[in-house]
Amino acid sequence: MRVRVRLFALQRELARTREVSLELPDGATVETSWASIVALHPVLAPGRPSMRFARNGEYADPSAALADGDEVAFIPPVSGGADELRSGAGGRSRGADEPSHPRRILELRETPFGTEILAQLADRLATDEDGAVVGFLGRTRRSPGTPAPGQEAEAARHAGRSVDSLGYEAHETMALGVLGTIADEIAERFGVEALAIVHRTGDVPLGEVSIAVVAVAPHRDAAFQAARYGIDETKARAPIWKAERFADGHVWIGEPARTGPAAEEPTR
């Protein structure tokens, strides 16, 4: 069988390629594809403990069987890390209001947006039945974050320096699918149907906005819970990678991705 393997972030840089086509034997698994890629690019081997995998745009166990024509994505540590779940339950963009969910806005945008996006999203989502709008903005800060596994030495080289900008990379179709799953969970857990999650890709300079989350509901408790769940789960699960850029280099930031809600995370 022939499968397509996609590489992202640190693994893409180490292998110096975004994509590899593999010929694999019948009965091959996701783990087989990893072993085959490591044979071609041994420099990737140390990244296995923090690696997650996807098959055809959905998280998959390493033992998952492959078929001819499959796409396998190697998912290195994602931008926000695997935070514990809290108690309780403009320009060109990809993603849009889903036809079956007219009060849902899930997008990746390449062009900048500012703080005004909260009002714009609220105006698009809220109705006269809604008494609460909760918004969250994430923005580039000067101080560095926690380096991804394998980036410790590079982070030490930039110790004491200020971050100039952030660079975001995404598996875009999969990221939008994960955002849709998170939105479904929010509707089920908190009864909040009106939700927006808009994330930047590309370069985001110091002080500029990288993500906006807006939750709209009749009552404030549900809106607060929905917004918090939305940002926490996006950062922990969406295949979106963040590099902190300095004057003479960059450091990939994050922790291994969670493949589902914290309570459902499988043992690895």
Side-chain angles (χ1 to χ4, degrees):
M1 72 178 76
R2 179 174 292 275
V3 301
R4 174 193 182 203
V5 175
R6 297 182 65 184
L7 305 176
F8 296 91
L10 180 59
Q11 277 62 44
R12 169 183 54 76
E13 291 181 343
L14 291 172
R16 299 184 180 182
T17 185
R18 295 179 181 273
E19 184 177 314
V20 178
S21 179
L22 292 178
E23 288 281 354
L24 299 176
D26 290 342
T29 65
V30 169
E31 191 70 58
T32 308
S33 71
W34 168 259
S36 297
I37 291 295
V38 168
L40 295 173
H41 302 283
V43 69
L44 299 181
R48 177 63 184 89
S50 60
M51 192 67 56
R52 300 292 182 263
F53 301 98
R55 174 179 174 269
N56 299 331
E58 296 185 356
Y59 281 113
D61 190 84
S63 63
L66 296 177
D68 186 58
D70 278 352
E71 177 192 282
V72 178
F74 297 165
I75 309 294
V78 296
S79 66
D83 289 342
E84 290 297 326
L85 189 64
R86 297 300 194 274
S87 61
R92 184 162 68 97
S93 64
R94 294 176 173 86
D97 302 7
E98 300 179 36
S100 60
H101 295 279
R103 301 183 68 201
R104 183 179 291 184
I105 302 167
L106 308 173
E107 296 181 357
L108 302 179
R109 295 191 186 183
E110 294 176 328
T111 54
F113 50 83
T115 57
E116 72 284 348
I117 193 172
L118 292 183
Q120 294 169 354
L121 294 172
D123 288 344
R124 291 174 63 184
L125 291 172
T127 71
D128 290 343
E129 299 300 319
D130 296 309
V133 175
V134 173
F136 170 85
L137 292 175
R139 60 197 298 270
T140 302
R141 67 173 186 267
R142 189 181 305 276
S143 58
T146 303
Q151 287 282 274
E152 294 84 359
E154 186 65 13
R157 190 171 74 84
H158 297 287
R161 301 179 185 177
S162 296
V163 174
D164 291 335
S165 67
L166 298 177
Y168 285 95
E169 177 179 337
H171 184 325
E172 295 185 355
T173 55
M174 182 177 172
L176 291 170
V178 170
L179 295 185
T181 298
I182 292 169
D184 289 341
E185 293 165 2
I186 286 172
E188 181 178 352
R189 290 172 182 242
F190 311 115
V192 175
E193 299 284 350
L195 178 76
I197 304 175
V198 180
H199 204 301
R200 279 288 312 278
T201 58
D203 191 63
V204 183
L206 187 67
E208 291 195 7
V209 177
S210 57
I211 185 171
V213 177
V214 172
V216 176
H219 305 289
R220 65 181 181 273
D221 285 349
F224 274 114
Q225 289 178 307
R228 182 60 187 262
Y229 189 91
I231 182 60
D232 285 352
E233 294 301 295
T234 295
K235 301 303 285 185
R237 292 159 60 184
I240 300 173
W241 297 277
K242 176 172 69 177
E244 292 178 340
R245 302 193 186 282
F246 301 88
D248 59 347
H250 64 271
V251 177
W252 291 100
I253 300 299
E255 296 289 342
R258 273 204 279 105
T259 60
E264 299 176 11
E265 182 69 359
T267 301
R268 289 183 179 274

